[in-house]
Amino acid sequence: MSGSGGYGEGVTDPTTTTVDVVLPCLDEARALPWVLERIPPTWRAIVVDNGSSDASGAVASALGATVVYQPERGFGAACHAGLLAAEAEFVCFCDCDASLDPGMLPSFVQEVADGRTDLVLGRRRPQGRGAWPVHARAGNLALSRMVRRRTGLRLHDLGPMRACRREPMLGLGLTDRRSGYPLQMVVRAADAGWRVSEVDVPYRPRAGKSKVTGTWRGTWQAVHDMRSVLSELPVPAPGGAGAR
């Protein structure tokens, strides 16, 4: 599934829906102003500072975000701390490096709120030179194929921009606290019978260096780490799909 439609009579207005946006953050002070200004004013931004040395937490707080400090290093640790801090009916996840535009998230929430899907993933479409290095694309392609074999989901990307309902997501019991967290989310959602869809999103050159996929070594190490997630036995969420 790709693209998004407008909302009208009988359809939830996502800009007035209760939503928390989890933004895992490690040294993203330069990108934070642009990222935070793109989030709808009625939504709450939860910036999870994962040990920044550039005062990212202070910058986020000054810009009106809720700041959660997570000393345990790891992308999954930061994301899950944000999920636990969230209180809204709907929760979104987005990188905090200005490579993805959180201003597109209302269309994601709309699809979930209207019952068309349970988990929306942003399918990254590179914009500009250097937005998505070849080694990172290769790693993502390999993972997408492994996910298809494991779950049957015909996904093209396992990008970090996504939306779902909060309580069912907590019910998935996610345990990975490193780079496997986004993958485990998709695998366990599929095992629980969730409907998972993709929406095309522009992917821009990030501000600063990637903490995971900035090198061939980092990319393939992440792929290696994620193999353990794919080897998990199915762990259905209580009550089956439960996301609707």
Side-chain angles (χ1 to χ4, degrees):
M1 177 176 187
S2 62
S4 60
Y7 54 85
E9 185 177 356
V11 179
T12 299
D13 180 347
T15 61
T16 60
T17 302
T18 305
V19 181
D20 284 334
V21 184
V22 176
L23 299 160
C25 175
L26 179 59
D27 295 329
E28 307 290 5
R30 185 155 60 102
L32 275 166
W34 184 86
V35 171
L36 293 175
E37 74 178 4
R38 301 291 298 165
I39 294 175
T42 59
W43 293 14
R44 182 172 67 139
I46 302 176
V47 174
V48 184
D49 191 333
N50 201 205
S52 299
S53 60
D54 67 350
S56 288
V59 171
S61 181
L63 292 171
T66 296
V67 179
V68 174
Y69 292 94
Q70 171 55 279
E72 178 187 354
R73 284 294 183 95
F75 183 76
C79 287
H80 204 68
L83 176 62
L84 293 177
E87 300 175 346
E89 179 181 0
F90 299 93
V91 63
C92 298
F93 297 85
C94 186
D95 274 357
C96 202
D97 56 14
S99 62
L100 295 164
D101 183 359
M104 298 191 69
L105 286 171
S107 66
F108 285 39
V109 173
Q110 179 182 326
E111 298 219 7
V112 178
D114 294 343
R116 284 178 275 166
T117 191
D118 301 309
L119 174 63
V120 184
L121 309 178
R123 180 183 180 184
R124 292 169 289 185
R125 297 296 197 175
Q127 307 289 313
R129 186 181 180 89
W132 202 358
V134 63
H135 57 269
R137 294 195 205 192
N140 187 73
L141 177 61
L143 284 171
S144 295
R145 288 174 175 172
M146 287 188 279
V147 168
R148 185 174 301 180
R149 288 195 296 269
R150 167 65 173 76
T151 67
L153 294 174
R154 300 183 65 84
L155 300 175
H156 301 85
D157 189 13
L158 295 171
M161 192 173 182
R162 46 192 65 188
C164 59
R165 279 187 163 84
R166 178 179 59 86
E167 289 191 6
M169 178 58 64
L170 287 169
L172 293 181
L174 302 179
T175 57
D176 191 280
R177 295 296 181 263
R178 297 176 63 84
S179 56
Y181 188 87
L183 175 61
Q184 188 181 57
M185 183 187 296
V186 172
V187 170
R188 292 201 174 181
D191 288 346
W194 289 28
R195 296 163 299 168
V196 182
S197 61
E198 291 184 320
V199 173
D200 290 352
V201 295
Y203 190 51
R204 303 172 177 83
R206 58 161 290 140
K209 185 177 180 181
S210 171
K211 283 76 174 177
V212 177
T213 58
T215 65
W216 277 98
R217 180 178 181 180
T219 297
W220 290 110
Q221 183 62 51
V223 171
H224 180 268
D225 291 345
M226 291 178 187
R227 287 183 184 274
S228 62
V229 173
L230 291 169
S231 66
E232 288 182 349
L233 294 174
V235 184
R244 297 183 286 281

